């Protein structure tokens, strides 16, 4: 618990630094200067880290509006400025999702995907990220069929452009497996999750947080299929490593502990 308070204190300190930097930049350079917009984005991220999503939303909406006014929606000077504009809108869409404003997130994500395809091209990594975000929003709204088709497309493009072992590709495969699970297609999910876990162990190592998350995902799918002993083995393995890496009181460790208890009960029924 002490570690949690220490972490919270550091986040508040970071927020205060970002707030001071924004005030100084606005006074020195004006409200429309690129450095001011960057400072606003940094402060919005600090708000998000503190779970103050309404404050983050307000700032991000201001930044997106100012960038469109100052640079234009399709600013032609550099690819970097285009990526910044897309990134800002992606951040805003993610904040809508944090606030459970999924309809707003859907509208903005659809706009960002369309913009990314037109400016950067369908096969640009940033465009793939926006497509992945849109698929997640479809899932949040229960539109799992739409999410499934888009996730399949992102996985196919990711494998071709980035390679199967790229972290972004593995993440998109995980998203596809979760969509299969949401549709009750657990055997399809099982095949994908087992494949991702094997690759992550090779690339990231057994103790990497992403590997442990994939381990838990696979365990839950085993449970859905009634293979409770397989689920228990994976949950116990994840719990042991999280205790070792994160400590007993970390939220992920506590979640793993609950998962182990549930799996044990299911395995003896």
């Amino acid at each position: 618990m002490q570690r949690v308070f220490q972490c919270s204190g550091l986040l508040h300190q970071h927020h205060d630094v970002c707030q001071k930097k924004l005030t100084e930049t606005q006074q020195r350079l004006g409200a429309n200067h690129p450095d001011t917009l960057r400072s606003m984005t940094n402060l919005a991220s600090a708000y998000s880290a503190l779970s103050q999503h309404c404050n983050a939303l307000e700032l991000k909406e201001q930044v997106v509006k100012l960038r469109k006014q100052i640079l234009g929606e399709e600013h032609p000077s550099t690819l970097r400025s285009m990526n910044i504009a897309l990134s800002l809108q992606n951040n805003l869409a993610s904040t809508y999702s944090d606030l459970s404003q999924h309809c707003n997130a859907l509208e903005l994500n659809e706009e960002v995907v369309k913009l990314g395809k037109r400016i950067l091209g369908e096969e640009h990594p940033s465009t793939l990220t926006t497509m992945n975000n849109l698929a997640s929003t479809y899932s949040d709204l229960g539109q799992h069929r739409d999410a499934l088709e888009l996730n399949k497309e992102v996985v196919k493009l990711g494998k071709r452009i980035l390679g199967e072992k790229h972290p972004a590709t593995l993440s998109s495969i995980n998203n596809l497996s979760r969509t299969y699970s949401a549709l009750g297609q657990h055997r399809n999910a099982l095949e994908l999750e087992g494949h991702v876990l094997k690759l992550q162990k090779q690339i990231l190592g057994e103790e990497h947080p992403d590997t442990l998350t994939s381990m838990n995902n696979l365990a839950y799918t085993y449970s859905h299929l009634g293979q409770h002993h397989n689920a228990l083995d994976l949950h116990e393995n994840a719990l042991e490593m999280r205790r070792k890496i994160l400590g007993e009181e970390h939220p992920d460790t506590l979640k793993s502990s609950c998962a182990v208890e549930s799996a044990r009960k299911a395995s003896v029924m």
Side-chain angles (χ1 to χ4, degrees), residues 20 53 56 74 110 180 206 260:
K20 181 180 179 182
H53 299 302
E74 299 181 15
E110 287 178 335
Y180 276 130
E206 288 205 6
V260 166

Side-chain angles (χ1 to χ4, degrees), residues 34 37 65-77 81-82 84-85:
L37 298 184
K65 182 179 179 179
L66 285 170
R67 279 207 173 271
K68 286 182 176 179
Q69 289 175 354
I70 298 165
L71 300 177
E73 195 172 65
E74 299 181 15
H75 188 263
S77 62
S81 67
M82 296 177 194
I84 288 173

Side-chain angles (χ1 to χ4, degrees), residues 25-246:
T25 307
Q26 285 175 328
Q27 292 173 349
R28 183 165 48 90
L29 300 173
N32 294 343
H33 193 277
D35 287 351
T36 303
L37 298 184
R38 276 191 287 272
S39 293
M40 291 172 69
T41 302
N42 291 339
L43 180 57
S45 297
Y47 277 128
S48 292
L50 289 167
S51 297
Q52 297 181 23
H53 299 302
C54 288
N55 290 332
L57 176 61
E58 183 180 352
L59 266 180
K60 288 174 182 178
E61 286 179 328
Q62 290 178 32
V63 172
V64 170
K65 182 179 179 179
L66 285 170
R67 279 207 173 271
K68 286 182 176 179
Q69 289 175 354
I70 298 165
L71 300 177
E73 195 172 65
E74 299 181 15
H75 188 263
S77 62
T78 62
L79 181 61
R80 178 175 173 274
S81 67
M82 296 177 194
N83 275 321
I84 288 173
L86 289 172
S87 176
L88 284 168
Q89 289 184 302
N90 264 330
N91 289 341
L92 177 55
S94 70
T95 303
Y96 279 132
S97 293
D98 289 337
L99 291 165
S100 297
Q101 297 181 18
H102 301 304
C103 289
N104 289 337
L106 177 63
E107 182 179 352
L108 189 53
N109 274 320
E110 287 178 335
E111 177 189 344
V112 173
V113 168
K114 184 178 179 181
L115 188 62
K117 286 182 177 180
R118 188 167 74 246
I119 298 172
L120 304 173
E122 189 176 84
E123 299 187 353
H124 192 280
S126 294
T127 305
L128 295 184
T129 299
T130 65
M131 292 168 68
N132 216 10
N133 292 342
L134 176 57
S136 295
T137 304
Y138 280 138
S139 292
D140 290 335
L141 289 165
Q143 299 178 23
H144 300 301
R145 291 287 175 189
D146 292 327
L148 181 65
E149 293 307 312
L150 193 52
N151 276 324
K152 285 180 177 179
E153 184 180 356
V154 172
V155 168
K156 182 179 178 181
L157 289 170
K159 285 180 178 179
R160 189 171 78 243
I161 299 162
L162 304 173
E164 186 177 34
K165 296 183 179 181
H166 191 280
T169 305
L170 295 179
S171 177
S172 66
I173 296 173
N174 263 333
N175 290 342
L176 176 57
S177 71
R178 282 196 291 271
T179 304
Y180 276 130
S181 290
L183 289 166
Q185 300 179 25
H186 299 300
R187 293 212 172 271
N188 288 337
L190 182 71
E191 182 180 350
L192 288 176
E193 288 166 353
H195 181 61
V196 169
L197 180 59
K198 181 180 178 180
L199 288 176
Q200 286 178 326
K201 285 181 177 180
Q202 294 172 359
I203 300 164
L204 303 175
E206 288 205 6
E207 298 183 352
H208 191 279
D210 290 349
T211 305
L212 298 181
T213 297
S214 293
M215 196 177 295
N216 269 337
N217 291 342
L218 179 57
Y220 286 123
T221 301
Y222 275 130
S223 293
H224 285 306
L225 290 167
Q227 299 181 30
H228 299 299
H229 290 288
N230 288 337
L232 178 59
D233 287 343
L234 281 173
H235 279 311
E236 287 179 334
N237 195 2
L239 175 59
E240 180 182 351
M241 284 189 275
R242 279 178 166 161
R243 280 174 172 164
K244 174 184 173 184
I245 301 162
L246 303 174

